[in-house]
Amino acid sequence: MLSDAPTLHVHDLTVPLGGRSVVRHVALDVRPGEFVTVLGGNGSGKSTLVRAATGLLPHTSGEVRLFGTPVADFRDWHRIGYVPQRPSAASGVPATVREIVTAGRLSRRRLLRPLRHADKAAVQAALTSVDLADRAGESVAELSGGQQQRVLIARALATEPDLLVLDEPTAGVDLEHQQLLARVLAAHAARGVAIVLVAHELGPLARLIDRVVVLRDGRVTFDGTPDAEAAAFAHSHDQHHPLDPNSGGARAVVLGPGWQAGERR
Amino acid sequence: MSLLAYDFMQRALMAALLTGLTAPAIGTYLVQKRLALLGDGIGHIALTGVALGLLTGQAPLLTAVIVAVAGATVIEVLRLRGRASGDVALALFFYGGIAAGVLLTGLAGGSAATLTSYLFGALTTVSDADLLLVVVLAALVLTVSLGLAPQLFAVCQDEEHARVSGMPVAAYSVLISVLAAVTVTLAMRTVGLLLVSALMVVPVAAAQQLTRAFRATLALAMALGVLAAVSGVWVSFSVNAAPGPTIVLLALAGFVVASPLGGWLRSRRGVTMPTDDLHDLHDLHDGKD
């Protein structure tokens, strides 16, 4: 399942923002099927890290490779699904949920061609997986903040990516739908999709995660399994699901039948 | 149909029809990007182009297209590079454009009346050559703004997501600005440079009172634009008024009708706007739902 090149390779990365290095000498490799969460407080550089990793921000030193290709030369954008951090999915003109999710297919569509059957099917599947299929014809501006976040997630899923990058995707999403999202992401990870999730706190996603990377002042202060992180920092966010601390097979544990049973409480 | 007996009115109506179609088409993207006033800024810049035409003896429509396109490109590049925020970049060009336009027109020996015909439209002055250029440019604007609708929609909806989708966002953004500049100059003889932005924005504002989808908004805005432009020319001829203000007031009347109608439609669907985002967060914190 693992290819030679990591899905995402970040080496000695420094990213300036407004004349200050917000990310400093960060290293991070993410492999197919791996579920990595980047945690950190406000201003820790976690969003800046993923924005540089997706080519949205330039870096001054270090290296970012996507599927083995330096980010500046990367062209296979249909392999990446991105959920930007934004308060709303709406813009100045009304747009339906389906119209916005369909934008997730653009990296796979040729210019001036109508939507193919595969495009429509992927959009429908993405809508269904975030539980918004019955709202597809509604204007996003008329949905709640949490529902709008799910629209943005569906847009990234509709791309059918090999790498999913989600920047605080669960802000405002209710607990029930956070659990739904956890199941959806777990299913993608099980199929070999690499997932990088930027989060403030983990919630229901905690038990799906292989690795936690903690940033503070732009530097990695921790990189390991969630329970090791919990032990090291005595944080409270995953104490309700003890995992084997020395397990390299943490993913097998969390993605096995156990996570589902745990999920339903 | 007495008014169609005049050649100049046939040309004026044709120009108005094309303006009514193109201005809201490109205006929809500007409103989506929250750059509704870009058309206004470009209109001021185009005035400098008109003055250059008067000064050099070239066709003012042609020089206006060239100067407006150049100005629109610079505004967009300034915005993309983060050198100036969108509104400040616009303000610089508003004042520079109109000052240079008035100054150069004066140097060319033009009068206030000459300027007024460009600022507020002048139906009788649409020549055959003007109309030909208007037809060609309108076809170009419509082809691009409808043919590339999925791409332009994505770029205007969410620039960051569009970039991570591998789209040349800067190129598309400049394209939208250039199309807006071309549209402004097309509308110069019908609505005039000072009011052209209204025809880009007001039909869109009226349409979105009634619609939920982007495509429906685009289509309805174009229909309302044509209705306002053609009936505006008709009315202005009948009562001997300037066409630009007539067209704009008719478009605004459309908004005045659409706004309460939209409110009624939404209340029938049981939707209240805007939605209360905080409600969700409170639910989350309280552990409810």
Side-chain angles (χ1 to χ4, degrees):
Chain A
M1 187 104 215
L2 299 182
S3 64
D4 289 348
T7 303
L8 171 65
H9 171 72
V10 171
H11 177 68
D12 194 27
L13 183 73
T14 296
V15 185
L17 210 61
R20 190 173 76 85
S21 291
V22 176
V23 166
R24 290 183 265 178
H25 307 290
V26 166
L28 177 68
D29 276 7
V30 183
R31 298 198 165 272
E34 198 173 17
F35 195 143
V36 176
T37 292
V38 180
L39 283 179
N42 293 331
S44 60
K46 55 191 194 304
S47 275
T48 305
L49 171 62
V50 294
R51 285 160 56 79
T54 47
L56 282 173
L57 288 175
H59 51 272
T60 44
S61 69
E63 184 177 38
V64 175
R65 284 177 179 265
L66 294 164
F67 303 95
T69 307
V71 65
D73 304 327
F74 186 72
R75 293 292 174 268
D76 294 335
W77 292 103
H78 61 271
R79 300 189 72 178
I80 299 191
Y82 178 61
V83 180
Q85 185 183 13
R86 52 182 290 166
S88 155
S91 67
V93 171
T96 61
V97 170
R98 186 184 300 281
E99 283 178 319
I100 290 185
V101 174
T102 302
R105 295 300 292 178
L106 272 179
S107 51
R108 291 186 176 271
R109 287 173 67 184
R110 309 249 304 271
L111 279 181
L112 303 175
R113 297 289 169 84
L115 284 171
R116 293 164 304 157
H117 178 72
D119 297 317
K120 293 177 184 170
V123 168
Q124 191 60 37
L127 284 167
T128 305
S129 69
V130 300
D131 194 22
L132 283 174
D134 58 336
R135 315 289 301 260
E138 291 183 27
S139 167
V140 281
E142 294 174 0
L143 302 186
S144 75
Q147 287 169 330
Q148 293 191 25
Q149 284 296 326
R150 279 150 57 202
V151 172
L152 298 181
I153 292 164
R155 180 178 62 183
L157 296 176
T159 309
E160 297 179 305
D162 296 316
L163 169 64
L164 259 175
V165 179
L166 307 97
D167 196 349
E168 303 214 29
T170 56
V173 177
D174 61 41
L175 194 58
E176 180 193 348
H177 286 101
Q178 284 195 47
Q179 289 168 347
L180 173 80
L181 177 63
R183 286 196 291 275
V184 171
L185 292 181
H188 279 78
R191 285 207 302 269
V193 177
I195 300 176
V196 177
L197 174 84
V198 173
H200 212 64
E201 54 183 18
L202 291 180
L205 297 172
R207 56 180 52 250
L208 308 172
I209 287 155
D210 299 320
R211 256 169 78 198
V212 174
V213 173
V214 179
L215 286 186
R216 184 171 294 164
D217 290 334
R219 295 180 191 276
V220 175
T221 56
F222 178 86
D223 185 346
T225 57
D227 43 332
E229 190 267 335
F233 292 90
H235 279 171
S236 59
H237 57 255
D238 62 4
Q239 53 190 225
H240 52 279
H241 61 102
L243 293 175
D244 181 3
N246 57 17
S247 172
R251 190 182 347 125
V253 174
V254 295
L255 295 182
W259 71 266
Q260 251 177 342
E263 186 70 42
R264 304 247 156 85
R265 285 185 289 185
Chain B
M1 292 293 143
S2 62
L3 125 171
L4 285 178
Y6 300 98
D7 279 357
F8 76 87
M9 275 311 290
Q10 290 177 8
R11 289 194 296 268
L13 280 171
M14 188 66 189
L17 176 77
L18 291 171
T19 307
L21 272 180
T22 50
I26 197 67
T28 304
Y29 296 109
L30 296 182
V31 173
Q32 196 190 7
K33 277 168 78 93
R34 302 188 199 277
L35 283 176
L37 291 180
L38 183 67
D40 226 349
I42 294 171
H44 286 65
I45 298 167
L47 188 65
T48 299
V50 168
L52 274 178
L54 296 174
L55 195 62
T56 58
Q58 303 293 318
L61 187 57
L62 193 65
T63 50
V65 170
I66 295 168
V67 172
V69 165
T73 308
V74 173
I75 291 179
E76 190 56 29
V77 169
L78 281 178
R79 194 184 69 82
L80 284 168
R81 295 238 171 120
R83 291 292 174 82
S85 65
D87 58 338
V88 172
L90 270 179
L92 297 176
F93 282 89
F94 261 71
Y95 307 129
I98 200 145
V102 172
L103 188 77
L104 292 176
T105 306
L107 290 180
S111 63
T114 318
L115 271 185
T116 303
S117 77
Y118 288 97
L119 288 177
F120 300 108
L123 294 175
T124 50
T125 54
V126 180
S127 69
D128 277 331
D130 283 348
L131 187 61
L132 182 67
L133 190 58
V134 165
V135 169
V136 170
L137 292 178
L140 174 83
V141 171
L142 286 176
T143 306
V144 176
S145 57
L146 300 182
L148 293 180
Q151 284 75 23
L152 299 181
F153 167 78
V155 167
C156 297
Q157 185 74 24
D158 189 338
E159 245 177 61
E160 289 206 337
H161 181 265
R163 282 172 66 189
V164 179
S165 299
M167 302 183 59
V169 168
Y172 279 124
S173 297
V174 170
L175 178 66
I176 290 171
S177 290
V178 166
L179 292 180
V182 171
T183 307
V184 163
T185 39
L186 291 185
M188 191 162 79
R189 309 314 268 143
T190 47
V191 204
L193 292 172
L194 271 192
L195 291 174
V196 57
S197 192
L199 201 54
M200 301 177 111
V201 175
V202 178
V204 181
Q208 67 181 1
Q209 302 300 314
L210 306 173
T211 55
R212 286 184 286 178
F214 181 81
R215 279 179 174 273
T217 310
L218 182 63
L220 184 57
M222 289 170 74
L224 292 174
V226 169
L227 193 66
V230 172
S231 59
V233 166
W234 206 290
V235 169
S236 77
F237 178 79
S238 309
V239 304
N240 196 23
T246 316
I247 291 171
V248 170
L249 288 174
L250 282 171
L252 280 168
F255 177 81
V256 169
V257 172
S259 184
L261 193 60
W264 177 73
L265 282 174
R266 276 193 297 275
S267 69
R268 266 192 49 181
R269 295 203 305 264
V271 174
T272 54
M273 290 177 74
T275 28
D276 183 8
D277 290 356
L278 286 175
H279 191 67
D280 274 30
L281 288 172
H282 285 307
D283 280 357
L284 197 62
H285 282 299
D286 298 345
K288 286 187 289 186
D289 185 41

